[in-house]
Amino acid sequence: MPAGPVLEAARPRGLGAWLTTTDHKRIGLLYIGTALAFFLVAVAFAMLMRTQLIRPGMRLLSPEQYNQIFSMHGTTMVFLFGMPMLIGLANYLVPLQIGARDMAFPRVNALSYWLLLFGGLLLYSSFAFGGALDTGWFSYAPLTLKAYSPHDGVTFWTVSLVLLGASSILGSINFIVTCLRFRAPGMRLWQMPVFAVATFINSFLILFAFPSLTAAIALLYLDRQYGTSFFDPAGGGDPVIWQHLFWFFGHPEVYILILPAFGIMSEVVPVFSRKPLFGRESMLVMLAAIGFLGFLVWAHHMFATGLPTIFNAIMAGTSMLIAIPTGVKIFNWLATMWGGSLRFRPPLLFACSLIALFTIGGITGVTLAVVPWDWQVTDTYYVVGHLHNVLFAGTVFAVFAGIYYWFPKATGRRLDERLGKLHFWLITVGFVVTFMPLYALGPMGMPRRVYTYAPGQGWDTLNLVSSLGGYLIAVAVLVFLFNVVRSLRRGQVAGDNPWGAWTLEWAATSPPPPGNFTWLPVIRSERPLWDLEQAAAAPAAMASASAGEAAASASLTYALAPEPERNTAVPFWAALALLVTAIGLLSTPVVIGLGIALLLIVLAVWMAEPWVQPELPAVPGRQMSFIGAGMLAFIGSETVFFASLIAADIHLRLHAPADAIGAGLATAFPAVNTGVLIASGVAAHYAQVAYRRRRPQSFNFLLGLTIVLGTAFLAGQAWEYTHLGFGLSASLTASAFFTLTGFHGLHVACGIAALVFLSFRVRREWRVWPGAPSRGSAGMVDAGTYYWHFVDAVWVVVFVVVYLL
Amino acid sequence: MERGGVGRNADHWWRHGAPAGRGRSLGLGVLLAACLLLAGCAATQPNIFRPGGSAGHDIRTLAIQVLAILSVVLLVVWALLAFVIIRFRKRPESEASQTRGNLRIEIVWTLIPAVIVTVLFVLTVRTTAQLAPPDRGAQFTVTGHQWWWEFGYPAEGFKTANEIHVAVDRPVNADLVSPDVIHSFWVPQMGGKVDMIPGRVNHTRFIPLASGRYLGECAEFCGFQHGQMRFLLIVESAEEFSAWVRAQRRPAAEPQSAAAVAGAEVAATVGCGGCHTIRGTSLKGAVGPDLTHFGSRGGIGAWTLPNTPQNLLSWLQDPQKVKPKCLMPRVPLPPEQLRQLVAYLEELK
């Protein structure tokens, strides 16, 4: 198909182009490049660790240094390599795979990336400010409390994770809405390529898992900076609550890291076997099953903490259940290769190696669900072996397969195959030599997170072997890097579809233009290009059909108008404003205020700038606006956030000694205030009705009333805060009160700001297009009202929990 | 002679079979323990496949069953992969069969893992229940500190540190607490680990079946010196255990040699009593390990070093050099006083 002309409006070049891009492909590349850079840092840390452990009593690293390095290695690999790499690949590919022109919210997409970069840089800056996180990537309390970790590394970690969490949650909202509403006409949700389905499912995991982490780190921040006692037994707190909150996030997190990898496998294996994916429906169901079950297993990280036996048994059962969908997937990939015509290019080599080695990791995972065995090997090198087995031989190998597969699409050139095979063999052997000994070291009694070990315990040789394997991995990574850098300039030129694949991204040029496509095939199945090939190869069938059928089937493809590039610096500035706010959380409230002020200005510009949304495929029937859908996803996430805080609060108040709990609170004034807030909710509802009925004066009045009542509510809260007579850390009740009402108040404040912006936006729209159908504000009005109702609903629950319980 | 699961570190861990039954262990235990104590051997290799206690045995049995079942699964996957790679490479594309699925096969390979998982679950629940919850009566309390172990016998009225004795074939019940951060009590050859969590009291219960010396470790990251927080569990006959208890209950031995007498004087004057207790003297500190019978213990600094006069001298010269960031500060003393202190401490048997 000929490529149409691409609009070359005056667009920024060079660095400016990258800083202001909203093109999902560029953002994807930014994510991937950043992830690779952090990967190299984390691998370097690993080399330091393995060298420190190469023999007993090694003095390369002090315990302080070692503890920072292992903690930052884990944190970097999970949050700054694993997630950004997978999200970057998804960012690049999902719109292409579903025939969309871009993501649903391109500016938010850019914001997500800059938040990632700034969050990562903030985290690493802690090295220069007294030392980085040194309490492990899952940072158990009370070790992380100020008494035992006086330096700021832990605080930097909590604040950076807020930025990173925001980045991930915004990204997942984007993917959900894009997959739901921006698919090419005719493509059903389950007909999306498996990688896109995996990303879609994964986004729900991110949405519902991350808020639990946010709650945990918020409480930790308060314990460290404001003297509360959520995790400190001296004040009635419970260290185990940290573990529950963290692992409720942490376990889904590892599925977040593997589901897209499974998606990549399901793209690569069929193409390089020249067959469709075997059991596709089952594969999609199993992805969803793994995602769902992943939320029910978190306490298998806590079997040794002394939880009730029945609870341990349930968690063991659910943890073992996950083996079933995972095993089914392995069999499906094998069956896909069975009877195929196998092409052992690097993508398939990595896929085979994943099948061979990830299965070991899956199996050792099942053994870790065997509670008594877990009692022996948890917190030993057996777990280090297991986790690297699934994340390295799972996620990382799949990422490599994906990079070799999609590099031609993104750059127009192939990666060198001989170097690819060398990379493959070095890293596969390196992986086995590095990590298989760890499965023995654990049962031989070697605990994890030790900076050194004593001689004569039988651990020396295995550690030596493991370290040598680590060096081999480092060499493999260097080979890969060299291949990438070299192939960018001198790689063999690839066409649009060098692998003969069948999903939509291969219908675009290599690389695709802004707007991705100049033509699209009519979607009939999950292999659109295969269908096109088959139809094009059977013209005789068309000749014998009736005239009507012939006309219909003749239109196998259709053309698309070119899309302009959209550049704006606003997302960059918004991320910067949030970074300033985060720095304020690490320094003084003045800087927080500065950050918020900057953010409000940037958001005003965001709302006001002329912006053309990417083309939304026309789908008949009345549907919720996609902005409204995005808001619902966000509300889902915030619900989990509040639920986590409330669960923690209730648990603590049920189990703490009476003197730590503290006295109850007066309810008369808050009850009145509640009425004010509910009234504002009623006003908001009727404002939405007025908007839909095109009644500007009613709408303006009612929206204004909502804002005024909301502000009155906040003023009431402020009055209550200053007249309570106790502070945040006075008791558990006090801490719960300030935390829950405080975060709720923050949500109200954000809601008021949003409604203020909305009122200006709608006024302008009606001024410019009086009487015309609404130009984009309808979605925002919906979103604003859903959010406001959510804030009301949360308040009712918070009121009951804080004042009445 | 049967090995009886005793923890000598001579051979590789995979060569040892299951230890002898309980009856034989008792007699054997006495003989071997005597040999070992006389031989004064070093800390053992803490291998969970060489169990010395009831729970350790139960878990080992379960582990072998589970690993056997799952190894079969792994081998099946590898065999299929190997077959597929060999059989279907380099075929012309036209021969690739365009099968999209096969419901019957898919049901089979969903049900088989389900059956396996059910079997594993049943085995797991059975063994978990078997490792019964502990009796309420704790014989001693284990307190985890950054970065050493305190063992307290409230009924007998003594505390010791970093080394503990128990009687063979008798159930051991202990309370596990921590005043600072989370630690984890783990003697690999006795059974699973149990976390020691500030604010709550956890329990562990096991029955040592074979006499010997078993290494214990902290198994929850607890800060800088988590890697050097070990203890020794010595399993011995009932008579020897009673003898040990009697010895521990006595106050500190009077110093005999001239150097030791001078050392006692040094200990009383340079501030050791700020952190340490030596019962029967003026030292009554509660921050660091109880040193009343330090001379009879085999390790220094929670087994960072074996307890020899030379090592003790290095430790006293600069604990921060031996165990950086540990909570014992460096107290500069002239070499003569250090040697006297060493003499004194080594005589505290």
Side-chain angles (χ1 to χ4, degrees), chain A residues 274 279 304 340-341 356 375-376 378-379 443 445 457 526, chain B residues 48 78 91 93 100 186 188 191 193 195 215 217 220 225:
Chain A
R274 312 309 298 150
S341 168
W375 284 336
Q376 283 285 37
T378 193
D379 262 305
Q457 292 183 282
E526 69 277 355
Chain B
I48 69 179
W78 280 353
R91 290 167 90 220
E93 182 159 344
R100 306 175 69 87
W186 189 36
K193 59 184 64 74
D195 287 354
L215 188 69
E217 292 165 305
E220 183 61 65
Q225 285 293 347

PDB file of all heavy atoms in Angstrom, chain A residues 274 279 304 340-341 356 375-376 378-379 443 445 457 526, chain B residues 48 78 91 93 100 186 188 191 193 195 215 217 220 225:
ATOM      1  N   ARG A 274       4.997 -19.748  12.464  1.00  0.00           N
ATOM      2  CA  ARG A 274       4.159 -19.608  11.270  1.00  0.00           C
ATOM      3  C   ARG A 274       2.799 -20.256  11.460  1.00  0.00           C
ATOM      4  O   ARG A 274       2.248 -20.880  10.545  1.00  0.00           O
ATOM      5  CB  ARG A 274       4.853 -20.200  10.016  1.00  0.00           C
ATOM      6  CG  ARG A 274       6.291 -19.763   9.824  1.00  0.00           C
ATOM      7  CD  ARG A 274       6.499 -18.256   9.898  1.00  0.00           C
ATOM      8  NE  ARG A 274       5.779 -17.549   8.852  1.00  0.00           N
ATOM      9  CZ  ARG A 274       5.296 -16.308   8.969  1.00  0.00           C
ATOM     10  NH1 ARG A 274       5.437 -15.639  10.098  1.00  0.00           N
ATOM     11  NH2 ARG A 274       4.666 -15.743   7.966  1.00  0.00           N
ATOM     12  N   GLY A 279      -5.023 -22.235  21.183  1.00  0.00           N
ATOM     13  CA  GLY A 279      -5.875 -22.020  22.348  1.00  0.00           C
ATOM     14  C   GLY A 279      -5.960 -20.567  22.773  1.00  0.00           C
ATOM     15  O   GLY A 279      -5.886 -20.253  23.954  1.00  0.00           O
ATOM     16  N   ALA A 304       5.948 -16.740  57.756  1.00  0.00           N
ATOM     17  CA  ALA A 304       6.762 -16.882  58.968  1.00  0.00           C
ATOM     18  C   ALA A 304       6.422 -15.867  60.042  1.00  0.00           C
ATOM     19  O   ALA A 304       7.044 -15.860  61.094  1.00  0.00           O
ATOM     20  CB  ALA A 304       8.249 -16.772  58.620  1.00  0.00           C
ATOM     21  N   GLY A 340       4.517 -26.616  13.668  1.00  0.00           N
ATOM     22  CA  GLY A 340       4.789 -25.369  12.975  1.00  0.00           C
ATOM     23  C   GLY A 340       6.023 -25.459  12.114  1.00  0.00           C
ATOM     24  O   GLY A 340       6.577 -26.531  11.882  1.00  0.00           O
ATOM     25  N   SER A 341       6.435 -24.299  11.645  1.00  0.00           N
ATOM     26  CA  SER A 341       7.623 -24.208  10.820  1.00  0.00           C
ATOM     27  C   SER A 341       8.548 -23.237  11.540  1.00  0.00           C
ATOM     28  O   SER A 341       8.480 -22.035  11.329  1.00  0.00           O
ATOM     29  CB  SER A 341       7.218 -23.696   9.438  1.00  0.00           C
ATOM     30  OG  SER A 341       8.338 -23.339   8.707  1.00  0.00           O
ATOM     31  N   ALA A 356      11.912 -23.019  28.923  1.00  0.00           N
ATOM     32  CA  ALA A 356      12.725 -23.980  29.671  1.00  0.00           C
ATOM     33  C   ALA A 356      13.017 -23.497  31.077  1.00  0.00           C
ATOM     34  O   ALA A 356      12.931 -24.256  32.041  1.00  0.00           O
ATOM     35  CB  ALA A 356      14.039 -24.224  28.932  1.00  0.00           C
ATOM     36  N   TRP A 375       8.634 -22.081  55.349  1.00  0.00           N
ATOM     37  CA  TRP A 375       9.205 -21.752  56.661  1.00  0.00           C
ATOM     38  C   TRP A 375      10.708 -22.001  56.697  1.00  0.00           C
ATOM     39  O   TRP A 375      11.436 -21.359  57.431  1.00  0.00           O
ATOM     40  CB  TRP A 375       8.528 -22.564  57.768  1.00  0.00           C
ATOM     41  CG  TRP A 375       7.170 -22.086  58.141  1.00  0.00           C
ATOM     42  CD1 TRP A 375       6.654 -20.841  57.981  1.00  0.00           C
ATOM     43  CD2 TRP A 375       6.143 -22.865  58.763  1.00  0.00           C
ATOM     44  NE1 TRP A 375       5.369 -20.791  58.454  1.00  0.00           N
ATOM     45  CE2 TRP A 375       5.028 -22.008  58.955  1.00  0.00           C
ATOM     46  CE3 TRP A 375       6.053 -24.193  59.188  1.00  0.00           C
ATOM     47  CZ2 TRP A 375       3.842 -22.441  59.532  1.00  0.00           C
ATOM     48  CZ3 TRP A 375       4.871 -24.613  59.780  1.00  0.00           C
ATOM     49  CH2 TRP A 375       3.783 -23.752  59.951  1.00  0.00           C
ATOM     50  N   GLN A 376      11.151 -22.958  55.933  1.00  0.00           N
ATOM     51  CA  GLN A 376      12.583 -23.219  55.875  1.00  0.00           C
ATOM     52  C   GLN A 376      13.306 -22.255  54.933  1.00  0.00           C
ATOM     53  O   GLN A 376      14.325 -21.675  55.282  1.00  0.00           O
ATOM     54  CB  GLN A 376      12.854 -24.661  55.423  1.00  0.00           C
ATOM     55  CG  GLN A 376      12.638 -25.702  56.500  1.00  0.00           C
ATOM     56  CD  GLN A 376      13.751 -25.728  57.534  1.00  0.00           C
ATOM     57  OE1 GLN A 376      14.306 -24.695  57.912  1.00  0.00           O
ATOM     58  NE2 GLN A 376      14.093 -26.902  58.017  1.00  0.00           N
ATOM     59  N   THR A 378      12.145 -19.432  53.120  1.00  0.00           N
ATOM     60  CA  THR A 378      11.866 -18.013  52.902  1.00  0.00           C
ATOM     61  C   THR A 378      12.989 -17.187  53.506  1.00  0.00           C
ATOM     62  O   THR A 378      13.636 -17.585  54.473  1.00  0.00           O
ATOM     63  CB  THR A 378      10.498 -17.618  53.495  1.00  0.00           C
ATOM     64  OG1 THR A 378      10.134 -16.335  53.008  1.00  0.00           O
ATOM     65  CG2 THR A 378      10.522 -17.557  55.013  1.00  0.00           C
ATOM     66  N   ASP A 379      13.235 -16.043  52.926  1.00  0.00           N
ATOM     67  CA  ASP A 379      14.321 -15.181  53.397  1.00  0.00           C
ATOM     68  C   ASP A 379      15.696 -15.815  53.249  1.00  0.00           C
ATOM     69  O   ASP A 379      16.651 -15.419  53.923  1.00  0.00           O
ATOM     70  CB  ASP A 379      14.120 -14.772  54.865  1.00  0.00           C
ATOM     71  CG  ASP A 379      13.506 -13.389  54.958  1.00  0.00           C
ATOM     72  OD1 ASP A 379      14.098 -12.459  54.377  1.00  0.00           O
ATOM     73  OD2 ASP A 379      12.445 -13.250  55.590  1.00  0.00           O
ATOM     74  N   PRO A 443      18.631 -23.821  50.860  1.00  0.00           N
ATOM     75  CA  PRO A 443      18.517 -24.970  51.750  1.00  0.00           C
ATOM     76  C   PRO A 443      19.792 -25.263  52.541  1.00  0.00           C
ATOM     77  O   PRO A 443      19.735 -25.929  53.572  1.00  0.00           O
ATOM     78  CB  PRO A 443      18.211 -26.119  50.790  1.00  0.00           C
ATOM     79  CG  PRO A 443      17.560 -25.483  49.634  1.00  0.00           C
ATOM     80  CD  PRO A 443      18.211 -24.146  49.502  1.00  0.00           C
ATOM     81  N   GLY A 445      21.257 -23.075  54.083  1.00  0.00           N
ATOM     82  CA  GLY A 445      21.190 -22.184  55.234  1.00  0.00           C
ATOM     83  C   GLY A 445      21.636 -20.760  55.002  1.00  0.00           C
ATOM     84  O   GLY A 445      21.742 -20.005  55.956  1.00  0.00           O
ATOM     85  N   GLN A 457      31.082 -23.019  55.987  1.00  0.00           N
ATOM     86  CA  GLN A 457      29.683 -23.426  56.063  1.00  0.00           C
ATOM     87  C   GLN A 457      29.256 -24.132  54.785  1.00  0.00           C
ATOM     88  O   GLN A 457      28.079 -24.431  54.613  1.00  0.00           O
ATOM     89  CB  GLN A 457      28.808 -22.191  56.313  1.00  0.00           C
ATOM     90  CG  GLN A 457      29.071 -21.622  57.701  1.00  0.00           C
ATOM     91  CD  GLN A 457      28.186 -20.440  58.021  1.00  0.00           C
ATOM     92  OE1 GLN A 457      28.421 -19.331  57.577  1.00  0.00           O
ATOM     93  NE2 GLN A 457      27.156 -20.680  58.784  1.00  0.00           N
ATOM     94  N   GLU A 526      -8.558 -11.838  14.667  1.00  0.00           N
ATOM     95  CA  GLU A 526      -7.407 -11.310  15.404  1.00  0.00           C
ATOM     96  C   GLU A 526      -6.138 -11.331  14.573  1.00  0.00           C
ATOM     97  O   GLU A 526      -5.085 -10.935  15.054  1.00  0.00           O
ATOM     98  CB  GLU A 526      -7.202 -12.092  16.712  1.00  0.00           C
ATOM     99  CG  GLU A 526      -6.740 -13.507  16.551  1.00  0.00           C
ATOM    100  CD  GLU A 526      -7.874 -14.481  16.278  1.00  0.00           C
ATOM    101  OE1 GLU A 526      -9.031 -14.034  16.312  1.00  0.00           O
ATOM    102  OE2 GLU A 526      -7.587 -15.656  16.036  1.00  0.00           O
TER     103      GLU A 526
ATOM    104  N   ILE B  48      19.304 -27.839  55.612  1.00  0.00           N
ATOM    105  CA  ILE B  48      17.994 -28.336  56.004  1.00  0.00           C
ATOM    106  C   ILE B  48      17.735 -29.762  55.536  1.00  0.00           C
ATOM    107  O   ILE B  48      16.782 -30.392  55.970  1.00  0.00           O
ATOM    108  CB  ILE B  48      16.849 -27.420  55.516  1.00  0.00           C
ATOM    109  CG1 ILE B  48      16.712 -27.468  53.994  1.00  0.00           C
ATOM    110  CG2 ILE B  48      17.068 -26.014  55.985  1.00  0.00           C
ATOM    111  CD1 ILE B  48      15.580 -26.586  53.493  1.00  0.00           C
ATOM    112  N   TRP B  78      10.311 -29.994  29.607  1.00  0.00           N
ATOM    113  CA  TRP B  78      11.580 -29.989  28.880  1.00  0.00           C
ATOM    114  C   TRP B  78      11.571 -30.987  27.722  1.00  0.00           C
ATOM    115  O   TRP B  78      12.102 -30.700  26.639  1.00  0.00           O
ATOM    116  CB  TRP B  78      12.733 -30.318  29.851  1.00  0.00           C
ATOM    117  CG  TRP B  78      13.162 -29.138  30.665  1.00  0.00           C
ATOM    118  CD1 TRP B  78      12.743 -27.845  30.535  1.00  0.00           C
ATOM    119  CD2 TRP B  78      14.095 -29.136  31.732  1.00  0.00           C
ATOM    120  NE1 TRP B  78      13.356 -27.054  31.456  1.00  0.00           N
ATOM    121  CE2 TRP B  78      14.203 -27.808  32.207  1.00  0.00           C
ATOM    122  CE3 TRP B  78      14.868 -30.145  32.346  1.00  0.00           C
ATOM    123  CZ2 TRP B  78      15.043 -27.464  33.263  1.00  0.00           C
ATOM    124  CZ3 TRP B  78      15.698 -29.789  33.397  1.00  0.00           C
ATOM    125  CH2 TRP B  78      15.779 -28.450  33.837  1.00  0.00           C
ATOM    126  N   ARG B  91      11.172 -26.477   8.657  1.00  0.00           N
ATOM    127  CA  ARG B  91      10.163 -27.019   7.750  1.00  0.00           C
ATOM    128  C   ARG B  91       9.687 -25.899   6.856  1.00  0.00           C
ATOM    129  O   ARG B  91       9.671 -24.748   7.263  1.00  0.00           O
ATOM    130  CB  ARG B  91       8.973 -27.564   8.549  1.00  0.00           C
ATOM    131  CG  ARG B  91       9.300 -28.820   9.324  1.00  0.00           C
ATOM    132  CD  ARG B  91       8.193 -29.090  10.301  1.00  0.00           C
ATOM    133  NE  ARG B  91       7.143 -29.917   9.746  1.00  0.00           N
ATOM    134  CZ  ARG B  91       5.850 -29.741   9.963  1.00  0.00           C
ATOM    135  NH1 ARG B  91       5.436 -28.742  10.686  1.00  0.00           N
ATOM    136  NH2 ARG B  91       4.961 -30.561   9.458  1.00  0.00           N
ATOM    137  N   GLU B  93       7.205 -23.353   5.187  1.00  0.00           N
ATOM    138  CA  GLU B  93       6.084 -22.682   5.843  1.00  0.00           C
ATOM    139  C   GLU B  93       4.752 -23.302   5.475  1.00  0.00           C
ATOM    140  O   GLU B  93       3.821 -23.329   6.275  1.00  0.00           O
ATOM    141  CB  GLU B  93       6.093 -21.200   5.462  1.00  0.00           C
ATOM    142  CG  GLU B  93       5.000 -20.429   6.143  1.00  0.00           C
ATOM    143  CD  GLU B  93       5.302 -18.951   6.196  1.00  0.00           C
ATOM    144  OE1 GLU B  93       6.468 -18.587   5.980  1.00  0.00           O
ATOM    145  OE2 GLU B  93       4.364 -18.185   6.428  1.00  0.00           O
ATOM    146  N   ARG B 100      -6.010 -23.957  15.488  1.00  0.00           N
ATOM    147  CA  ARG B 100      -6.219 -22.863  16.420  1.00  0.00           C
ATOM    148  C   ARG B 100      -6.387 -23.373  17.844  1.00  0.00           C
ATOM    149  O   ARG B 100      -6.380 -22.590  18.787  1.00  0.00           O
ATOM    150  CB  ARG B 100      -7.446 -22.063  16.017  1.00  0.00           C
ATOM    151  CG  ARG B 100      -7.384 -21.597  14.566  1.00  0.00           C
ATOM    152  CD  ARG B 100      -8.669 -20.916  14.188  1.00  0.00           C
ATOM    153  NE  ARG B 100      -8.786 -19.662  14.901  1.00  0.00           N
ATOM    154  CZ  ARG B 100      -8.276 -18.515  14.467  1.00  0.00           C
ATOM    155  NH1 ARG B 100      -7.642 -18.466  13.315  1.00  0.00           N
ATOM    156  NH2 ARG B 100      -8.410 -17.429  15.165  1.00  0.00           N
ATOM    157  N   TRP B 186      15.941 -18.874  63.401  1.00  0.00           N
ATOM    158  CA  TRP B 186      16.009 -19.988  62.471  1.00  0.00           C
ATOM    159  C   TRP B 186      17.184 -20.888  62.785  1.00  0.00           C
ATOM    160  O   TRP B 186      18.333 -20.430  62.731  1.00  0.00           O
ATOM    161  CB  TRP B 186      16.132 -19.465  61.034  1.00  0.00           C
ATOM    162  CG  TRP B 186      15.990 -20.524  59.997  1.00  0.00           C
ATOM    163  CD1 TRP B 186      15.158 -21.614  60.029  1.00  0.00           C
ATOM    164  CD2 TRP B 186      16.691 -20.593  58.752  1.00  0.00           C
ATOM    165  NE1 TRP B 186      15.288 -22.346  58.876  1.00  0.00           N
ATOM    166  CE2 TRP B 186      16.236 -21.755  58.077  1.00  0.00           C
ATOM    167  CE3 TRP B 186      17.667 -19.808  58.139  1.00  0.00           C
ATOM    168  CZ2 TRP B 186      16.699 -22.128  56.825  1.00  0.00           C
ATOM    169  CZ3 TRP B 186      18.139 -20.176  56.884  1.00  0.00           C
ATOM    170  CH2 TRP B 186      17.666 -21.333  56.241  1.00  0.00           C
ATOM    171  N   PRO B 188      18.196 -24.039  60.895  1.00  0.00           N
ATOM    172  CA  PRO B 188      17.747 -24.781  59.715  1.00  0.00           C
ATOM    173  C   PRO B 188      17.550 -26.272  59.963  1.00  0.00           C
ATOM    174  O   PRO B 188      16.619 -26.859  59.409  1.00  0.00           O
ATOM    175  CB  PRO B 188      18.880 -24.540  58.711  1.00  0.00           C
ATOM    176  CG  PRO B 188      19.457 -23.224  59.107  1.00  0.00           C
ATOM    177  CD  PRO B 188      19.340 -23.168  60.601  1.00  0.00           C
ATOM    178  N   GLY B 191      14.063 -26.976  61.947  1.00  0.00           N
ATOM    179  CA  GLY B 191      12.741 -26.707  61.393  1.00  0.00           C
ATOM    180  C   GLY B 191      12.655 -25.299  60.850  1.00  0.00           C
ATOM    181  O   GLY B 191      13.654 -24.622  60.638  1.00  0.00           O
ATOM    182  N   LYS B 193      11.594 -21.267  60.217  1.00  0.00           N
ATOM    183  CA  LYS B 193      11.890 -20.043  60.943  1.00  0.00           C
ATOM    184  C   LYS B 193      10.599 -19.385  61.422  1.00  0.00           C
ATOM    185  O   LYS B 193       9.520 -19.600  60.879  1.00  0.00           O
ATOM    186  CB  LYS B 193      12.666 -19.077  60.060  1.00  0.00           C
ATOM    187  CG  LYS B 193      11.947 -18.689  58.788  1.00  0.00           C
ATOM    188  CD  LYS B 193      12.793 -17.808  57.894  1.00  0.00           C
ATOM    189  CE  LYS B 193      14.038 -18.481  57.383  1.00  0.00           C
ATOM    190  NZ  LYS B 193      13.750 -19.479  56.322  1.00  0.00           N
ATOM    191  N   ASP B 195       9.347 -15.451  62.712  1.00  0.00           N
ATOM    192  CA  ASP B 195       9.769 -14.056  62.863  1.00  0.00           C
ATOM    193  C   ASP B 195       9.594 -13.576  64.294  1.00  0.00           C
ATOM    194  O   ASP B 195       8.691 -14.020  65.019  1.00  0.00           O
ATOM    195  CB  ASP B 195       8.943 -13.157  61.935  1.00  0.00           C
ATOM    196  CG  ASP B 195       9.350 -13.320  60.480  1.00  0.00           C
ATOM    197  OD1 ASP B 195      10.334 -14.028  60.195  1.00  0.00           O
ATOM    198  OD2 ASP B 195       8.661 -12.739  59.620  1.00  0.00           O
ATOM    199  N   LEU B 215      23.848 -24.639  63.903  1.00  0.00           N
ATOM    200  CA  LEU B 215      23.966 -23.197  63.693  1.00  0.00           C
ATOM    201  C   LEU B 215      22.576 -22.591  63.576  1.00  0.00           C
ATOM    202  O   LEU B 215      21.700 -23.130  62.905  1.00  0.00           O
ATOM    203  CB  LEU B 215      24.749 -22.924  62.410  1.00  0.00           C
ATOM    204  CG  LEU B 215      25.108 -21.459  62.185  1.00  0.00           C
ATOM    205  CD1 LEU B 215      26.144 -21.012  63.198  1.00  0.00           C
ATOM    206  CD2 LEU B 215      25.645 -21.262  60.780  1.00  0.00           C
ATOM    207  N   GLU B 217      20.515 -18.816  62.773  1.00  0.00           N
ATOM    208  CA  GLU B 217      20.766 -17.544  62.090  1.00  0.00           C
ATOM    209  C   GLU B 217      19.590 -16.607  62.238  1.00  0.00           C
ATOM    210  O   GLU B 217      18.459 -17.037  62.429  1.00  0.00           O
ATOM    211  CB  GLU B 217      20.972 -17.809  60.600  1.00  0.00           C
ATOM    212  CG  GLU B 217      22.238 -18.549  60.323  1.00  0.00           C
ATOM    213  CD  GLU B 217      22.247 -19.123  58.932  1.00  0.00           C
ATOM    214  OE1 GLU B 217      21.317 -19.869  58.587  1.00  0.00           O
ATOM    215  OE2 GLU B 217      23.177 -18.823  58.193  1.00  0.00           O
ATOM    216  N   GLU B 220      15.729 -12.484  59.002  1.00  0.00           N
ATOM    217  CA  GLU B 220      14.947 -11.350  58.493  1.00  0.00           C
ATOM    218  C   GLU B 220      15.856 -10.138  58.528  1.00  0.00           C
ATOM    219  O   GLU B 220      16.452  -9.846  59.571  1.00  0.00           O
ATOM    220  CB  GLU B 220      13.722 -11.098  59.372  1.00  0.00           C
ATOM    221  CG  GLU B 220      12.828  -9.972  58.867  1.00  0.00           C
ATOM    222  CD  GLU B 220      12.264 -10.242  57.477  1.00  0.00           C
ATOM    223  OE1 GLU B 220      11.483 -11.198  57.329  1.00  0.00           O
ATOM    224  OE2 GLU B 220      12.605  -9.498  56.527  1.00  0.00           O
ATOM    225  N   GLN B 225      24.234  -5.348  60.390  1.00  0.00           N
ATOM    226  CA  GLN B 225      24.952  -6.597  60.655  1.00  0.00           C
ATOM    227  C   GLN B 225      24.028  -7.796  60.686  1.00  0.00           C
ATOM    228  O   GLN B 225      24.290  -8.777  61.397  1.00  0.00           O
ATOM    229  CB  GLN B 225      25.751  -6.463  61.957  1.00  0.00           C
ATOM    230  CG  GLN B 225      27.000  -5.608  61.808  1.00  0.00           C
ATOM    231  CD  GLN B 225      28.030  -6.259  60.898  1.00  0.00           C
ATOM    232  OE1 GLN B 225      27.928  -7.442  60.565  1.00  0.00           O
ATOM    233  NE2 GLN B 225      29.016  -5.486  60.480  1.00  0.00           N
TER     234      GLN B 225
END
